[in-house]
Amino acid sequence: MSVMRLGYVHARVTDLADAKQHYGETLGLRAVHEEPGKVYFKGWDEYDHHSVVVEEGGVGLVKLGYKVSELTDLELYEKRAQQFGCITERMSAGDNLEVGDGVRVVLPSSHVVELYHEMTTVGTDVGSHNPEVFPRHLVGVGVPRVDHALLTTSDVATTERFFKDVLDFYPTERVATTLDDDAHVIGTWLTAGNTVHDIAFIEGPDNKLHHFAFELGDWNEIGRAGAIFSMDDVSVDVGPTQHGITRGRTIYFFDPSGNRNEVFAGGYVAFPDRPCVTWTVDQIGKGIFYVSRELNERFTSVLT
Amino acid sequence: MASVTVDPDGITVQARDGECILSALNRSGYGYRTGCRRGGCALCKADLVSGEVSYPVVVADSVLPAEEQAGGACLTCRAVPHGDVVIRLRDDRLRCTSSFLAALAGRVTPAVERNI
Ligand code: FES
Ligand SMILES: [Fe+2]
């Protein structure tokens, strides 16, 4: 009984052809389905039908999908979300392409999260019988999977409480004004399993996207991704550098519509009994960009 | 070619055909506050004082609403000048970020002028 992972990110883009070039040719996701105004993608190591949906018209996030391990989880999480005071809505199989029944929840931050238990399995690109360790003909960066998203909320504490109380997430790291218990929390990094984060929130306007991230293996792969970004004239925000928070190695960059993406490698393994790390606001520069220790203006002001 | 003049300092650079205002300024050695450079965040928004621009790449209405555009706002990372334009930055000033590029673009920076 739990949320297993961030299953899909559904984002808006201003131009579908440009988005297809970016997510398909630069990041190397495979387009698994196209329909007027939408393209569905998956990473090579993902076995469910898709993990990224881009929809033409605007910028920003439409919704995130989190996959739960048991069908009965849906009812439980639905009830808890309602008790928390959130608006929920049942979704039926087929409301989202290749996705089964689910529950749509409007978060305290106004973002839409969909919980679901089934998505059509298509298998990884190396299969599951005596598989090779990676596909031979990866395109571009060749990202294996979607990893996490960072969103903004006007009330970090309440949003964190929602993820803890309703969805059984736990925070791995926080940014707070002081080390006191009653400190004002301005950022929280939460996980449902053992990855260092499945979602994170920082203080800002409600219903905005800061970034969504793709997993990579190590520094070398981050460096190689940076070279591909140069070849493809991708707008790079920051990096390659390392986060103090999560210890992840990273490049922040923008898709052709200005949505921020990240390639992320090497966060530590999280456990619910591991003490939550606290960063004080005065050290936030080091927490976010460990090498330069400086937050640029874009970190807080560039949202879609 | 079209000229791009940036107020309040009145610095003028040349934009190539199809080049957006931000690229023309960057190529000429000038920088100012920008974000995504891809039309998504509105950080590069400025006021179009005179002239005409077009948007060959679609810009989200939430970033540059039609009313704002009608009121003279432009998104400099996506706006392509049609003929000479004058823009005014919002709460920001143009900075020379590369004397090499400025020299290449045919502008003499104050630093070079003073022979530093
Ligand atoms: S820099 Fe983001 S919209 Fe121009
Ligand atoms: Fe991230």
Side-chain angles (χ1 to χ4, degrees), chain A:
Chain A
M1 181 208 82
S2 62
V3 171
M4 293 192 292
R5 65 175 169 277
L6 173 59
Y8 55 84
V9 176
H10 186 149
R12 294 185 199 284
V13 296
T14 45
D15 185 292
L16 209 55
D18 288 349
K20 227 185 131 181
Q21 181 71 23
H22 176 79
Y23 290 100
E25 300 301 316
T26 299
L27 289 176
L29 297 167
R30 186 152 60 81
V32 288
H33 178 79
E34 290 181 53
E35 58 190 50
K38 278 186 198 166
V39 185
Y40 295 70
F41 296 95
K42 82 181 266 297
W44 70 261
D45 210 20
E46 289 169 328
Y47 34 88
D48 282 348
H49 182 264
H50 61 266
S51 61
V52 172
V53 184
V54 292
E55 178 176 338
E56 195 164 64
V59 288
L61 191 66
V62 177
K63 58 198 180 183
L64 298 176
Y66 280 86
K67 193 176 188 186
V68 301
S69 60
E70 309 291 335
L71 190 58
T72 49
D73 290 342
L74 296 177
E75 212 172 312
L76 175 74
Y77 291 141
E78 179 184 39
K79 189 149 35 119
R80 285 199 204 155
Q82 287 168 353
Q83 280 165 358
F84 196 90
C86 293
I87 295 169
T88 69
E89 188 186 356
R90 275 276 165 172
M91 33 185 240
S92 324
D95 283 1
N96 290 299
L97 182 78
E98 307 292 347
V99 179
D101 292 342
V103 178
R104 188 173 293 132
V105 183
V106 181
L107 301 185
S109 57
S110 301
H111 297 92
V112 175
V113 159
E114 292 178 338
L115 305 169
Y116 65 100
H117 172 59
E118 281 169 1
M119 188 190 286
T120 306
T121 307
V122 296
T124 72
D125 286 11
V126 293
S128 38
H129 299 147
N130 310 317
E132 304 299 349
V133 294
F134 61 85
R136 189 66 171 266
H137 298 293
L138 281 175
V139 174
V141 178
V143 293
R145 65 176 197 92
V146 161
D147 189 75
H148 66 268
L150 171 58
L151 311 176
T152 56
T153 171
S154 58
D155 185 347
V156 174
T158 302
T159 307
E160 180 187 84
R161 197 158 53 77
F162 171 88
F163 276 87
K164 284 164 70 177
D165 295 356
V166 176
L167 298 180
D168 299 317
F169 281 54
Y170 61 95
T172 52
E173 309 216 9
R174 282 197 191 110
V175 176
T177 45
T178 68
L179 295 173
D180 301 332
D181 286 346
D182 61 351
H184 179 63
V185 178
I186 64 158
T188 181
W189 283 252
L190 296 136
T191 183
N194 294 114
T195 62
V196 72
H197 58 335
D198 292 312
I199 198 162
F201 289 89
I202 55 167
E203 195 170 273
D206 282 333
N207 205 14
K208 285 284 187 180
L209 170 70
H210 189 277
H211 69 267
F212 58 96
F214 299 93
E215 183 195 37
L216 284 180
D218 57 24
W219 269 119
N220 282 344
E221 292 186 14
I222 295 286
R224 183 177 172 282
I228 303 259
F229 296 159
S230 187
M231 293 176 204
D232 286 1
D233 196 26
V234 171
S235 175
V236 170
D237 184 8
V238 179
T241 183
Q242 183 165 17
H243 296 306
I245 297 166
T246 73
R247 298 184 193 151
R249 285 93 192 223
T250 175
I251 302 176
Y252 281 149
F253 54 101
F254 299 102
D255 80 2
S257 307
N259 296 304
R260 193 189 277 100
N261 295 160
E262 178 183 28
V263 283
F264 179 90
Y268 56 84
V269 179
F271 292 100
D273 62 337
R274 183 188 170 102
C276 178
V277 169
T278 303
W279 294 81
T280 47
V281 176
D282 60 304
Q283 294 295 310
I284 192 174
K286 192 172 184 177
I288 304 291
F289 300 126
Y290 187 75
V291 180
S292 69
R293 286 151 282 134
E294 232 172 51
L295 264 198
N296 59 30
E297 184 186 1
R298 293 187 299 277
F299 185 79
T300 42
S301 57
V302 177
L303 308 167
T304 56

Side-chain angles (χ1 to χ4, degrees), chain B residues 34-44 63 75 77:
Chain B
T34 56
C36 66
R37 299 165 168 264
R38 292 294 181 270
C41 72
L43 228 70
C44 67
V63 180
L75 212 56
C77 72

